[in-house]
Amino acid sequence: MDFFVDSLLSAILLLGSLDPELLEIIGVSLKVSSTSTLIASLVGIPAGFLITFRAFRGKALLITVLNTLLALPTVVIGLFVYAFISRRGIFGHLDLLYTQEAMIIGQVILIIPIVTTFTISAVSRIDERYRETALTLGANALQTAWIVFREARFGLVAAVIMAFGRVIAEVGISMMLGGNAKGFTRNMTTAMALEYDKGEFILSVALGIVLLTVSFGMNIIFHYFQGKTRV
Amino acid sequence: MLYELRHLKKVYNHRTVLDIEDLILEEGQVTGLLGPNGAGKTTLLKILTFILSPTSGKIRFKGKRVDFAGGNLIDLRRKLVLVQQQPILFTSTVANNVAFPLRIRKIEKTERERLVEELLELVGMLSFRDAMAHRLSGGETQRVAIARALACFPEVILMDEPTASVDVENQIVIERIIGEINQKRDISVIFTTHNMIQASRLAEKTVFLFEGRVARSTYENIFSGFIKEDEKGDKVCMLQGGMELHVKNGKPGPVRISIDPERIKVGQREGDLSPRNAFTGRLIQLTDENSRVRALVDVGIMLSVLISKERLEDLDIRVGMKVGVRCPEQSIEVF
């Protein structure tokens, strides 16, 4: 128990001292995860809208596949992307392996199904009359989608926050595609895994605190939106 | 001519919900679509708004054929607007809701604000301008929805049961608004209702829908019965309560009939009338209806009869008295 308390206290001191290495690690995490969440949202939200409002063959199958992909293990994505970007892969010449870009690619694949399925469920819960009303008031397809988007914003914010929470906390993709290179691709989760392996708990615990704080912050933002959009 | 419908059908899962041979709705009028629940009123209204396409048949709007498959519907839709039975306001302020149609029509801000104010004033909701729309009552919501619909500058405004889900006070206000937008703004109004009195009060023309079909001139006195042929080969329709009516057409078997209230004859006694389809009953109610009077006579079934004021004076009948009524065969429609 003393050991844990000591680690915790040292971790807080480390955070207080704004250790440059620690800040760099946090920076990588935030940058990579924010970018992948942004890309996944730009793809997943419109995809969710299209899947909800368009009738096409194989729609039910596509939704089932997306739901299945929600349970995709990060190491499987890591392996899959590795196969494409490693030296022997078809994109090997792009030298993507062990870069932040590689981490982003993997993370985007991880959360596109999350953003898309949560968008589908948020949008399809919106009363059909919003769409009909917008149409009868003379709105075109895009303006109608905007109305539905506005009404569904609470659910959509939840989808994006879920996705961000998933990528900031994942370790498999970051480790396999980023390689935990100090100063380049070392992020909070890979650093924690490494420090744990080394038996150095202080940095691990400090990073754990930061990770939880980020999650906490996301939840506060989430509740802020909830308060704003709930009737 | 505003709308011209021909051989219009709408089929849902093999069930025909709308089957209209021929229907013309005039421009500049207030038209009531009257009928019981499930008569196809809302379906017809959605087709008239071009947000639902008919399964078959033709529609002309202001003389032009409407092509549901083509992409020109958005221009057509912008000429008319539907106010739904329980309208949905967007989760925003009342003013923003009314401004939405103006915004998508790219009307600049000062003009937009002026119009929002004018329209909210018209429906008596100006003091709610900055209120959140989802906090309004049913009647207030309906009024804001009408203001928002007017912001589309429509040539036609269609309303689905505009007063069905509001209290009496709002009902009066909404009926006043309907009259005002038709007369002052020269907008054609088409509304559905299941309230016969409301239809006759507001509408210049009433179309009666029953089981998806337009019933010709009548919109009252609907009964279910059973047609038999008697020994002379005459067709007799047996109604509930043991009443028998001679009818001209209709196949033997279960049917519904409607009796045109304008064609029912009223006399002081049954003997004053020729014996076929004549009954004695008690006069239950007399209602003033513009140039005419509606009499409700209980002859075992409730018959609604329209008579002229002169005829009423000649008859000298009062509520509670016994009167004779006769339903000529031409007054009965079998369907």
Side-chain angles (χ1 to χ4, degrees):
Chain A
M1 198 61 205
D2 280 354
F3 167 68
F4 180 74
V5 174
D6 284 349
S7 302
L8 196 64
L9 285 174
S10 310
I12 291 168
L13 284 177
L14 186 66
L15 281 173
S17 71
L18 296 176
D19 176 65
E21 192 191 342
L22 181 70
L23 290 183
E24 187 160 41
I25 291 170
I26 296 169
V28 169
S29 261
L30 290 178
K31 184 180 153 204
V32 169
S33 298
S34 307
T35 311
S36 52
T37 306
L38 183 72
I39 295 172
S41 303
L42 289 178
V43 176
I45 292 176
F49 266 77
L50 285 177
I51 293 169
T52 311
F53 290 122
R54 289 274 162 85
F56 54 90
R57 270 168 60 139
K59 180 167 168 168
L61 181 69
L62 177 61
I63 292 174
T64 312
V65 168
L66 284 170
N67 283 330
T68 311
L69 292 181
L70 289 179
L72 203 58
T74 51
V75 283
V76 172
I77 297 175
L79 269 177
F80 177 76
V81 177
Y82 179 87
F84 280 87
I85 63 172
S86 69
R87 288 251 175 252
R88 285 171 296 166
I90 42 174
F91 297 117
H93 61 282
L94 295 176
D95 266 340
L96 284 169
L97 193 59
Y98 304 137
T99 62
Q100 291 186 1
E101 286 76 17
M103 293 161 78
I104 291 170
I105 293 170
Q107 292 190 347
V108 166
I109 295 173
L110 176 68
I111 55 173
I112 277 184
I114 296 181
V115 178
T116 309
T117 51
F118 277 80
T119 299
I120 293 172
S121 85
V123 168
S124 53
R125 255 201 309 257
I126 298 301
D127 196 318
E128 171 64 9
R129 286 179 295 166
Y130 282 107
R131 210 171 68 87
E132 277 184 13
T133 303
L135 279 178
T136 63
L137 294 174
N140 61 28
L142 209 62
Q143 289 160 335
T144 305
W146 170 244
I147 284 292
V148 177
F149 181 87
R150 271 181 55 98
E151 296 299 335
R153 59 191 182 240
F154 169 71
L156 297 178
V157 167
V160 172
I161 288 175
M162 280 282 280
F164 182 80
R166 183 79 181 91
V167 285
I168 194 108
E170 71 80 28
V171 60
I173 291 170
S174 300
M175 193 63 98
M176 292 170 79
L177 301 176
N180 195 20
K182 186 177 175 184
F184 295 102
T185 58
R186 180 166 298 173
N187 66 7
M188 291 197 276
T189 51
T190 55
M192 279 168 81
L194 177 72
E195 297 303 309
Y196 165 80
D197 279 347
K198 292 198 303 195
E200 293 278 348
F201 285 94
I202 296 165
L203 186 62
S204 260
V205 173
L207 288 167
I209 294 170
V210 176
L211 201 58
L212 282 174
T213 312
V214 170
S215 292
F216 184 66
M218 291 315 279
N219 269 296
I220 288 177
I221 294 173
F222 182 50
H223 279 283
Y224 170 76
F225 273 102
Q226 189 174 31
K228 276 230 150 175
T229 58
R230 268 281 162 88
V231 290
Chain B
M1 218 179 290
L2 192 61
Y3 285 99
E4 207 182 329
L5 277 58
R6 250 173 221 289
H7 310 298
L8 193 86
K9 269 193 184 187
K10 180 71 193 176
V11 182
Y12 278 123
N13 303 325
H14 307 291
R15 209 175 67 103
T16 306
V17 290
L18 206 60
D19 183 1
I20 293 174
E21 258 318 280
D22 232 327
L23 181 65
I24 286 174
L25 303 177
E26 295 294 342
E27 204 167 340
Q29 279 192 338
V30 178
T31 307
L33 302 176
L34 179 64
N37 288 339
K41 297 181 303 252
T42 304
T43 307
L44 177 57
L45 211 59
K46 284 189 176 172
I47 291 175
L48 293 178
T49 324
F50 312 129
I51 56 173
L52 191 69
S53 56
T55 311
S56 61
K58 285 181 194 158
I59 299 186
R60 281 173 175 280
F61 180 72
K62 298 184 118 183
K64 270 198 185 156
R65 170 91 191 265
V66 178
D67 177 15
F68 279 91
N72 65 340
L73 285 180
I74 185 141
D75 293 328
L76 271 180
R77 271 194 212 121
R78 287 199 168 190
K79 292 181 202 273
L80 37 89
V81 62
L82 173 71
V83 179
Q84 284 167 321
Q85 179 172 359
Q86 277 163 337
I88 276 209
L89 298 179
F90 306 130
T91 316
S92 187
T93 62
V94 166
N96 271 340
N97 268 277
V98 180
F100 176 73
L102 303 170
R103 235 180 233 134
I104 59 179
R105 283 167 182 75
K106 301 201 165 48
I107 287 169
E108 57 120 6
K109 195 163 175 251
T110 38
E111 174 67 357
R112 203 164 66 209
E113 280 169 2
R114 191 188 65 76
L115 283 166
V116 167
E117 206 152 293
E118 180 189 314
L119 292 169
L120 284 176
E121 177 83 65
L122 175 80
V123 297
M125 289 292 292
L126 190 54
S127 53
F128 289 83
R129 220 184 114 118
D130 300 315
M132 286 309 284
H134 53 263
R135 300 204 197 281
L136 302 181
S137 77
E140 291 161 351
T141 300
Q142 190 85 30
R143 283 153 67 181
V144 173
I146 293 173
R148 184 177 62 183
L150 288 170
C152 299
F153 309 110
E155 293 173 30
V156 191
I157 184 163
L158 300 104
M159 302 188 188
D160 194 6
E161 298 270 2
T163 59
S165 42
V166 308
D167 54 34
V168 182
E169 261 170 71
N170 275 301
Q171 194 174 325
I172 294 167
V173 177
I174 288 164
E175 287 187 4
R176 173 188 62 76
I177 297 170
I178 290 177
E180 228 171 274
I181 57 182
N182 175 245
Q183 278 152 28
K184 289 195 188 152
R185 299 189 166 236
D186 207 24
I187 298 171
S188 309
V189 180
I190 299 171
F191 69 96
T192 65
T193 179
H194 57 260
N195 181 340
M196 187 191 77
I197 311 233
Q198 183 182 53
S200 61
R201 191 167 51 223
L202 285 175
E204 289 155 78
K205 181 184 175 179
T206 303
V207 176
F208 182 66
L209 278 178
F210 191 81
E211 293 182 344
R213 291 163 187 273
V214 175
R216 233 173 294 141
S217 54
T218 47
Y219 48 86
E220 297 164 71
N221 297 330
I222 296 204
F223 307 104
S224 42
F226 193 90
I227 291 186
K228 291 198 304 197
E229 283 185 11
D230 65 10
E231 53 275 19
K232 280 177 268 170
D234 285 352
K235 285 177 182 153
V236 179
C237 183
M238 322 282 292
L239 300 182
Q240 298 148 345
M243 286 190 50
E244 292 183 12
L245 280 173
H246 287 265
V247 291
K248 266 212 291 230
N249 37 31
K251 287 193 196 102
V255 290
R256 281 177 190 269
I257 60 163
S258 80
I259 309 171
D260 186 348
E262 298 189 37
R263 292 190 180 174
I264 299 175
K265 304 277 184 290
V266 182
Q268 278 174 321
R269 283 174 297 278
E270 189 179 329
D272 291 352
L273 306 158
S274 70
R276 211 170 215 210
N277 286 355
F279 313 96
T280 304
R282 182 192 285 276
L283 183 60
I284 301 288
Q285 190 185 330
L286 286 170
T287 334
D288 182 57
E289 222 162 81
N290 301 326
S291 59
R292 292 179 299 185
V293 171
R294 184 180 300 278
L296 206 58
V297 186
D298 182 4
V299 291
I301 52 175
M302 282 293 176
L303 275 183
S304 178
V305 188
L306 276 170
I307 46 180
S308 68
K309 286 190 174 156
E310 295 79 42
R311 176 80 183 130
L312 181 71
E313 243 167 64
D314 289 348
L315 282 169
D316 191 29
I317 51 175
R318 277 181 294 279
V319 172
M321 282 170 73
K322 287 210 161 179
V323 293
V325 290
R326 189 171 76 84
C327 310
E329 282 172 9
Q330 313 83 276
S331 72
I332 304 170
E333 195 181 335
V334 181
F335 49 99

